[in-house]
Amino acid sequence: MRQSQMLIPTLKEVPADAESASHQLLLRGGFIRQNAAGIYSYLPLGYKVIKKIETIIREEMDRIGSQELLMPAMQPAELWHESGRWDVYGPELMRLKDRHGRFFAMGATGEELVTSLVRDTLNTYKKLPMSVYQIQTKYRDEKRPRFGLLRGREFIMKDAYTFHATEESLDDAYWKMFNAYKNVFERCGLKFRAVLADSGAMGGKDTHEFQALAEIGEDTIAYSDQSDFAANLEMAPVISRETLASSETLPLEKKSGKVAESDDRLITACWFKTRTDTVLVFLKAVDEVNDVKVKNLLGTDLVEPLERESLLDALHPDDKILIFADQGLKGQKDGVFYNTAEDLTYINIDPERDLHISQFADLRFVKEGDPSPDGNGTIKFAKGIEVGQVFKLGTKYSETMGALFLDEEGKTKPLIMGCYGIGVSRTLSAICEQYHDEKGLIWPKSLAPFDIHLITVNPKNDEQLTLSEKLYSDLSDLGFEVLWDDRRERPGVKFADSELIGCPVQVVVGKKAPESIVEVGARKEQAEGRKEVAVETLSQVVTDLMAELN
Amino acid sequence: MRQSQMLIPTLKEVPADAESASHQLLLRGGFIRQNAAGIYSYLPLGYKVIKKIETIIREEMDRIGSQELLMPAMQPAELWHESGRWDVYGPELMRLKDRHGRFFAMGATGEELVTSLVRDTLNTYKKLPMSVYQIQTKYRDEKRPRFGLLRGREFIMKDAYTFHATEESLDDAYWKMFNAYKNVFERCGLKFRAVLADSGAMGGKDTHEFQALAEIGEDTIAYSDQSDFAANLEMAPVISRETLASSETLPLEKKSGKVAESDDRLITACWFKTRTDTVLVFLKAVDEVNDVKVKNLLGTDLVEPLERESLLDALHPDDKILIFADQGLKGQKDGVFYNTAEDLTYINIDPERDLHISQFADLRFVKEGDPSPDGNGTIKFAKGIEVGQVFKLGTKYSETMGALFLDEEGKTKPLIMGCYGIGVSRTLSAICEQYHDEKGLIWPKSLAPFDIHLITVNPKNDEQLTLSEKLYSDLSDLGFEVLWDDRRERPGVKFADSELIGCPVQVVVGKKAPESIVEVGARKEQAEGRKEVAVETLSQVVTDLMAELN
């Protein structure tokens, strides 16, 4: 493509409100333009990359037998009432009213719609399992859209849904999808971790998130430095380590005032409220209580912290309070607790003896330096951008919305469902976070808008122009996608734009055109990496260079 | 693809509210499902066809150097205020309010957005011309959605926009786009006419519509039975035919009451109101006045008919009334007019002499049987479905929205624009209107969801199953897309579904499988057209058959 004919409005200045590297560089490189808060146009360069991501997704979905369809973005409110989400989804759900006063949701997700679609259709085990997906524009009215495409209000998503007669069949589809997602992100060149995630709120079972590693990520991932183990911070289990019992067991004592003690002996008390109960959790003061683990232990969907700090109720318990402790307190004999209300410090606490704990469990956040739960290595933290999720949804929607089938014995059962998502536009941004330098983007070759940026330094010079035309044609014939900068711009502008745009390989036709010599280099090496190459060897040099790059 | 794994919910019954053949058959064949009035899901079969149409469009757009981008569907209301269309577009524009109370239009069309996108970018003639397009979901809150995808509220459209420094450049792009559209529709197998259309309301200049010929079409096309001439009914010019002057010229006379006369001599008067004037148009009573022609003659955007019938004002004119006559009255000497108010019949009217007509012009609708305006053949009428339009938009949006550029002489000018659209989902429906019989769809091979429907009559029979597996693999290896009906259904169900789905070629593996004989036929020939074929010659037979089909 001739650059003079392309809409690539590069920017010299860093846009004021663009906080992240991906946001800045996608704007500056002329890949996207903002139309409103969290709402963007994909310009020709940006849309070329989006289409490459979509093609990879389609190929991997086809390979596992998932079928593409396209459901509408306008979803009748009735369906969201059926599932109960119209009221609970909150202001993030974009809603509109048609000319007849009927309400619609602008799809933030497709569970309701797909369930309504199959409920009259997949009515027998003979038609199961079934797997469908769509690549579609989705809407979410984010309170604070940010980081460009990373948290937008209109975005492109691949969502897939599978339907099953048995849990085993769901499990099979789940891992097929898991592997397909791994393939997608690997083929995109993304550095990512598939992490255990929390399924609680969505009422399902197993779930993994695919987290692209990036400093600006909003999620913290706990991973092993020596194995594949990775989990969202709130989901990472902590291995029980025997607390060394102190040599002697002393009776519980109270001292007036706050007594200074070593941090490791200090115990803290966290209070929570569920829909039905009051809950008290003890743990080491050096640890942090993990409310997701509390929630999962209780099997409830809601725990709220209470502003209270006391251990009195644990010393003199009544049935109204559920008392738990983190497993880290098990075996401790010399606990210390300062009770503010009494201005007393309790010492020599043996939680098992003194605190009427109904159960010791893993209730704290993992910490860097903890042993990895799989026994291999040590836990480290990283920041991640969630680019995908696989989820065993179970029967939540099929039950509430009446999507039933007859099993082999003629019994009516709700369909068992899985749901799966990839943030397409978000993946684009995550790639940019990982593939750039201070001058611009550096595309992995699987997603690059063009393979080669052919730069004619001075297109007014006939020899440069003629040679460039020939190379443009030759390289295109070899199957490379070539962006030819044929513009009558200053060389400085051209090179700066080329660094911003970030095609993997640059071929520069300049002063040595009369000698049939051009410069070739990988974008990631910047100008210093470019070498002079005789035109007759160019095809080979470029082919070799492309083969080296990832 | 194995049919047992595909979501193809065929229906035996004709859905109650499906009025047109395309709507009925797309629903019955399991191509689409309705989610709300005018809102549909494209199921896997339907979406395969949509993607084929999109691929053809992309190829033809690429060929003329138009670049694909994707603008958001959520368009800030501010842009529609700038263009003035927020208020005039009416209830067909879907509108929504975000959580902060800001208004958005759900894009019905993209002129505002694309103009805002280029107005800071295409600021010099050096960057012109530029051509961009997108394939996107559009919204239009139709009062009465009907005919399935033909008049939907959420639909897929290709919209393109070109930007120019000169009218000549626009003209060049216009005809390139015109030809690309012809190629698109020809490749889709559509029977269509490119017709002259009215550009008045949109404030532009030349425009053509691409009309798919179909009985249920809502537009009437006037075309020549012997040439390429075609126009929308309201745009078709009428050739002036000399009215035979009557042998003698008699003075104007009045007779009391209504005098019976030959129809051809009767004159009628039509009154109109514009924003500023009252307009009176005379024409033969056998003709019908064409208000679009009146509008264009006056160069105004609005004419409203008045309930008045009198010629008095023409006999005693004042300056307040503009008086015109259809060219068909020129030369007439013996006109007759019954003036209701006076209960008098005027006879021997010579319009040129008696009626103070300021101009004779082509102001009537063309009729079947009129000579074609290009001089070749006779006018016939047909019904059409508008599937595409090319439009010289001019500077309407660039002026109101301030999209300016510097020309070669350093003068600031508004960008000259063209806009172009193809209804993608509507094209799908139009194809179905043209390609079906009473049993189901019959896809043209360029758009067929699968080339071949391989039907195993009894998959419980090992010989049939084994042979089918082999043929499925062989035919796929030849590059054909094969839908294999491997379902354990009754043969009657399978054949009925196969007719509904309408793949171009059917291969049936039945009782003669042990003798390596199958049946092959074109879908359009129905069951009677299938012939027995020895398996070893099947590849050749199918290849030949596909080559014969369009």
Side-chain angles (χ1 to χ4, degrees):
Chain A
M1 190 86 201
R2 286 164 184 260
Q3 199 165 337
S4 61
Q5 292 171 10
M6 275 196 86
L7 185 66
I8 312 179
T10 53
L11 302 174
K12 275 183 217 138
E13 312 287 319
V14 179
D17 57 344
E19 305 153 271
S20 67
S22 59
H23 190 190
Q24 291 175 5
L25 294 174
L26 285 171
L27 285 169
R28 291 189 56 209
F31 290 80
I32 62 173
R33 267 290 171 97
Q34 184 173 318
N35 299 108
I39 296 177
Y40 292 84
S41 288
Y42 304 92
L43 301 185
L45 279 185
Y47 201 50
K48 274 180 82 88
V49 182
I50 289 283
K51 284 191 285 184
K52 292 200 177 187
I53 299 174
E54 291 180 354
T55 298
I56 291 174
I57 291 174
R58 288 197 169 101
E59 287 171 0
E60 295 298 333
M61 289 300 104
D62 286 356
R63 199 180 292 187
I64 60 168
S66 194
Q67 304 158 67
E68 188 168 10
L69 45 66
L70 183 67
M71 298 186 291
M74 271 183 73
Q75 306 183 355
E78 291 74 19
L79 295 177
W80 288 71
H81 285 303
E82 279 188 55
S83 75
R85 289 208 296 177
W86 182 261
D87 295 322
V88 303
Y89 208 99
E92 281 194 10
L93 189 65
M94 298 257 191
R95 295 153 210 251
L96 70 73
K97 204 162 66 169
D98 75 5
R99 67 194 295 161
H100 304 296
R102 291 191 201 97
F103 279 97
F104 289 82
M106 293 305 297
T109 167
E111 284 82 5
E112 281 82 358
L113 206 55
V114 79
T115 305
S116 80
L117 204 61
V118 303
R119 69 177 155 190
D120 309 318
T121 302
L122 299 181
N123 49 9
T124 154
Y125 73 96
K126 290 183 206 167
K127 294 181 179 170
L128 300 171
M130 186 66 70
S131 176
V132 296
Y133 75 97
Q134 63 178 347
I135 297 177
Q136 192 203 26
T137 299
K138 293 276 190 304
Y139 298 87
R140 209 167 286 171
D141 203 352
E142 295 282 352
K143 193 165 181 188
R144 268 184 297 277
R146 58 192 296 219
F147 295 150
L149 306 181
L150 277 178
R151 192 168 287 284
R153 299 201 289 170
E154 175 170 332
F155 53 96
I156 304 173
M157 200 172 137
K158 194 270 336 196
D159 45 329
Y161 306 90
T162 62
F163 303 91
H164 309 273
T166 66
E167 293 288 345
E168 296 69 42
S169 168
L170 170 61
D171 195 61
D172 179 59
Y174 181 86
W175 290 108
K176 267 190 194 149
M177 198 64 82
F178 182 96
N179 287 320
Y181 277 30
K182 272 184 69 172
N183 290 346
V184 166
F185 294 122
E186 276 165 12
R187 289 179 62 188
C188 287
L190 200 70
K191 298 170 202 69
F192 68 96
R193 293 267 182 167
V195 307
L196 283 171
D198 176 33
S199 62
M202 281 178 81
K205 295 169 186 179
D206 291 352
T207 178
H208 282 84
E209 287 172 5
F210 291 80
Q211 294 275 2
L213 303 179
E215 270 311 306
I216 60 154
E218 293 177 339
D219 298 324
T220 301
I221 306 161
Y223 68 96
S224 164
D225 61 358
Q226 284 172 42
S227 77
D228 267 354
F229 174 81
N232 270 359
L233 181 58
E234 75 270 14
M235 284 302 289
V238 175
I239 287 187
S240 166
R241 283 187 289 195
E242 272 306 285
T243 300
L244 231 57
S246 52
S247 49
E248 45 181 343
T249 302
L250 298 173
L252 184 67
E253 254 185 66
K254 292 186 250 189
K255 290 190 179 176
S256 78
K258 195 164 189 170
V259 177
E261 261 306 340
S262 81
D263 281 355
D264 198 50
R265 291 173 64 185
L266 290 176
I267 292 175
T268 191
C270 297
W271 291 81
F272 295 97
K273 197 178 68 174
T274 70
R275 292 186 199 278
T276 50
D277 296 302
T278 304
V279 181
L280 172 54
V281 175
F282 289 102
L283 71 163
K284 283 180 186 282
V286 293
D287 291 333
E288 193 184 342
V289 71
N290 181 334
D291 54 354
V292 170
K293 290 182 177 176
V294 175
K295 214 158 42 173
N296 290 346
L297 179 69
L298 294 166
T300 182
D301 63 339
L302 178 99
V303 298
E304 281 178 0
L306 290 177
E307 286 288 333
R308 208 192 291 183
E309 188 182 332
S310 165
L311 85 174
L312 283 188
D313 303 271
L315 298 172
H316 315 288
D318 61 32
D319 292 346
K320 287 180 196 144
I321 297 170
L322 303 172
I323 304 175
F324 301 102
D326 181 65
Q327 61 193 4
L329 292 184
K330 202 159 187 183
Q332 188 175 29
K333 307 289 180 194
D334 57 357
V336 173
F337 190 101
Y338 170 67
N339 202 29
T340 318
E342 299 173 302
D343 192 27
L344 289 177
T345 300
Y346 290 74
I347 60 171
N348 303 328
I349 302 173
D350 175 344
E352 283 188 279
R353 178 190 67 190
D354 303 324
L355 296 181
H356 293 87
I357 286 158
S358 63
Q359 191 179 341
F360 286 82
D362 171 16
L363 294 174
R364 73 163 169 94
F365 279 104
V366 78
K367 288 186 293 203
E368 282 196 295
D370 279 344
S372 175
D374 68 351
N376 296 313
T378 299
I379 288 296
K380 301 234 167 195
F381 285 178
K383 290 288 182 183
I385 296 167
E386 187 193 332
V387 288
Q389 184 167 24
V390 290
F391 197 94
K392 288 189 183 173
L393 197 50
T395 57
K396 178 179 157 78
Y397 291 90
S398 52
E399 274 179 27
T400 54
M401 296 181 68
L404 310 172
F405 73 99
L406 285 180
D407 74 3
E408 289 195 57
E409 281 137 30
K411 273 191 209 147
T412 299
K413 287 183 177 171
L415 289 166
I416 300 173
M417 292 170 59
C419 70
Y420 318 85
I422 290 179
V424 177
S425 34
R426 190 178 262 201
T427 297
L428 174 80
S429 278
I431 287 283
C432 296
E433 288 294 330
Q434 295 181 352
Y435 288 85
H436 71 271
D437 60 18
E438 72 287 359
K439 297 199 168 177
L441 294 163
I442 308 169
W443 291 100
K445 66 183 175 192
S446 62
L447 298 187
F450 291 92
D451 301 312
I452 298 170
H453 204 167
L454 174 67
I455 300 160
T456 307
V457 176
N458 179 10
K460 290 183 198 166
N461 175 297
D462 279 346
E463 282 165 313
Q464 289 187 28
L465 190 67
T466 309
L467 180 57
S468 300
E469 258 168 8
K470 179 182 158 16
L471 297 182
Y472 177 58
S473 159
D474 288 353
L475 292 168
S476 299
D477 288 349
L478 282 173
F480 293 116
E481 290 183 275
V482 184
L483 176 63
W484 174 19
D485 190 349
D486 60 337
R487 296 175 303 159
R488 298 190 166 196
E489 292 279 1
R490 285 181 296 108
V493 170
K494 293 184 161 214
F495 285 114
D497 281 355
S498 182
E499 307 288 21
L500 272 174
I501 293 169
C503 302
V505 168
Q506 298 169 326
V507 175
V508 181
V509 180
K511 280 184 190 157
K512 294 205 175 171
E515 301 158 54
S516 292
I517 289 173
V518 297
E519 288 184 22
V520 180
R523 158 66 185 88
K524 66 176 178 185
E525 309 284 349
Q526 300 194 2
E528 299 75 40
R530 287 201 287 268
K531 295 195 181 100
E532 293 193 346
V533 168
V535 165
E536 60 265 31
T537 65
L538 181 67
S539 298
Q540 195 56 50
V541 171
V542 167
T543 304
D544 293 347
L545 188 53
M546 283 295 288
E548 278 168 32
L549 296 171
N550 61 346
Chain B
M1 191 85 201
R2 285 164 185 259
Q3 199 164 336
S4 60
Q5 292 170 11
M6 276 196 84
L7 185 66
I8 311 177
T10 53
L11 302 174
K12 274 184 217 133
E13 312 288 320
V14 179
D17 58 345
E19 305 154 271
S20 67
S22 59
H23 191 191
Q24 290 175 4
L25 293 174
L26 285 170
L27 285 169
R28 290 189 58 208
F31 289 80
I32 62 173
R33 266 291 171 97
Q34 183 173 320
N35 300 108
I39 296 176
Y40 292 83
S41 289
Y42 303 92
L43 301 184
L45 279 186
Y47 201 50
K48 274 180 85 83
V49 182
I50 289 283
K51 284 192 284 184
K52 293 199 176 190
I53 299 173
E54 291 180 353
T55 298
I56 289 173
I57 291 174
R58 288 198 169 100
E59 287 171 359
E60 295 298 332
M61 289 300 106
D62 286 356
R63 198 179 293 186
I64 60 168
S66 195
Q67 307 157 66
E68 188 169 8
L69 45 65
L70 183 66
M71 299 187 289
M74 269 183 74
Q75 306 184 356
E78 291 75 18
L79 296 177
W80 288 71
H81 285 302
E82 279 188 57
S83 75
R85 288 207 297 177
W86 182 261
D87 295 322
V88 303
Y89 208 99
E92 279 194 10
L93 189 64
M94 298 256 191
R95 295 155 211 249
L96 70 75
K97 202 163 65 170
D98 75 4
R99 65 194 295 160
H100 304 296
R102 290 190 204 97
F103 278 96
F104 289 82
M106 294 305 298
T109 167
E111 284 82 5
E112 282 82 358
L113 206 56
V114 80
T115 305
S116 80
L117 204 63
V118 302
R119 68 176 155 191
D120 309 317
T121 302
L122 299 182
N123 48 9
T124 155
Y125 73 95
K126 291 182 205 166
K127 295 181 179 170
L128 299 171
M130 185 66 71
S131 176
V132 296
Y133 76 97
Q134 63 178 348
I135 297 176
Q136 192 203 26
T137 299
K138 292 277 189 306
Y139 299 87
R140 208 167 285 171
D141 203 352
E142 295 281 352
K143 192 164 181 188
R144 267 184 296 277
R146 59 193 293 217
F147 295 150
L149 307 180
L150 277 179
R151 192 168 286 284
R153 298 200 290 169
E154 175 172 330
F155 53 96
I156 304 173
M157 199 172 136
K158 196 274 326 198
D159 44 330
Y161 306 90
T162 62
F163 304 92
H164 309 273
T166 65
E167 293 288 345
E168 296 69 40
S169 170
L170 171 62
D171 195 61
D172 179 59
Y174 181 87
W175 290 108
K176 268 191 192 147
M177 197 64 81
F178 182 97
N179 287 319
Y181 277 31
K182 270 185 71 173
N183 291 344
V184 166
F185 295 123
E186 275 166 13
R187 289 179 61 188
C188 287
L190 200 69
K191 298 170 202 70
F192 68 96
R193 292 268 181 168
V195 306
L196 283 170
D198 176 32
S199 62
M202 282 176 82
K205 293 167 187 181
D206 289 353
T207 178
H208 282 84
E209 288 172 4
F210 291 82
Q211 295 275 2
L213 303 179
E215 269 311 306
I216 60 153
E218 293 176 340
D219 298 323
T220 301
I221 306 162
Y223 68 96
S224 163
D225 61 358
Q226 281 171 45
S227 76
D228 267 352
F229 173 81
N232 271 358
L233 180 57
E234 75 270 16
M235 284 300 291
V238 175
I239 288 187
S240 165
R241 282 187 288 196
E242 272 306 286
T243 300
L244 231 59
S246 51
S247 49
E248 46 182 341
T249 301
L250 299 172
L252 184 66
E253 256 184 67
K254 291 186 251 190
K255 291 192 175 172
S256 75
K258 195 165 188 171
V259 178
E261 261 306 337
S262 84
D263 281 353
D264 197 50
R265 293 174 61 187
L266 289 176
I267 293 176
T268 190
C270 298
W271 291 81
F272 295 98
K273 195 177 66 174
T274 71
R275 292 187 200 278
T276 49
D277 296 301
T278 303
V279 182
L280 172 55
V281 175
F282 289 102
L283 70 165
K284 283 181 187 279
V286 293
D287 292 332
E288 192 184 345
V289 72
N290 180 336
D291 53 356
V292 170
K293 290 182 177 177
V294 175
K295 212 156 45 173
N296 290 344
L297 178 70
L298 294 166
T300 181
D301 63 338
L302 179 97
V303 299
E304 279 177 1
L306 289 177
E307 287 287 334
R308 207 191 293 183
E309 188 181 330
S310 166
L311 85 172
L312 282 190
D313 303 271
L315 297 173
H316 316 289
D318 60 31
D319 291 345
K320 288 183 197 142
I321 297 170
L322 303 173
I323 304 174
F324 301 101
D326 181 65
Q327 62 192 3
L329 291 184
K330 202 158 185 184
Q332 190 175 26
K333 308 289 181 194
D334 56 355
V336 174
F337 190 100
Y338 170 67
N339 203 30
T340 318
E342 299 173 301
D343 193 28
L344 288 177
T345 300
Y346 290 74
I347 60 173
N348 303 328
I349 303 173
D350 174 345
E352 284 186 279
R353 179 188 67 187
D354 303 325
L355 297 179
H356 293 87
I357 287 157
S358 62
Q359 191 180 341
F360 286 82
D362 171 15
L363 295 175
R364 72 161 169 96
F365 279 104
V366 77
K367 288 185 292 201
E368 281 195 295
D370 279 343
S372 176
D374 68 350
N376 295 313
T378 300
I379 288 296
K380 301 234 168 192
F381 286 177
K383 289 289 182 181
I385 296 166
E386 187 194 332
V387 289
Q389 184 168 25
V390 292
F391 197 92
K392 288 189 184 175
L393 198 49
T395 56
K396 177 179 159 78
Y397 291 89
S398 52
E399 275 179 29
T400 54
M401 297 181 67
L404 310 172
F405 74 100
L406 286 181
D407 73 3
E408 289 194 58
E409 282 137 30
K411 274 191 210 147
T412 299
K413 288 183 178 168
L415 290 166
I416 300 171
M417 293 171 57
C419 70
Y420 317 85
I422 291 179
V424 177
S425 33
R426 191 179 263 201
T427 298
L428 174 80
S429 278
I431 288 283
C432 296
E433 289 294 330
Q434 295 181 354
Y435 288 85
H436 70 270
D437 60 18
E438 72 287 359
K439 296 197 169 177
L441 295 163
I442 307 167
W443 292 100
K445 64 185 176 190
S446 61
L447 299 187
F450 292 91
D451 302 311
I452 298 169
H453 205 166
L454 174 67
I455 300 160
T456 308
V457 176
N458 179 12
K460 291 184 198 166
N461 175 296
D462 279 345
E463 282 165 312
Q464 289 188 28
L465 189 67
T466 309
L467 179 58
S468 299
E469 259 167 8
K470 180 182 158 12
L471 296 182
Y472 178 57
S473 160
D474 290 352
L475 292 168
S476 299
D477 288 349
L478 282 173
F480 293 116
E481 293 183 272
V482 184
L483 176 63
W484 175 18
D485 190 350
D486 60 337
R487 297 175 303 160
R488 297 190 166 195
E489 292 280 2
R490 285 181 296 108
V493 170
K494 294 184 161 214
F495 286 114
D497 282 355
S498 181
E499 308 286 21
L500 272 174
I501 292 169
C503 301
V505 168
Q506 299 170 325
V507 175
V508 181
V509 180
K511 279 185 189 155
K512 294 204 176 169
E515 302 158 52
S516 292
I517 289 173
V518 298
E519 286 184 24
V520 179
R523 157 67 183 88
K524 68 176 177 184
E525 308 284 349
Q526 301 195 3
E528 299 73 43
R530 287 200 287 271
K531 294 192 180 102
E532 293 193 348
V533 167
V535 165
E536 61 265 33
T537 65
L538 181 66
S539 298
Q540 197 55 51
V541 170
V542 167
T543 304
D544 293 346
L545 189 52
M546 283 296 287
E548 277 169 34
L549 295 172
N550 61 349

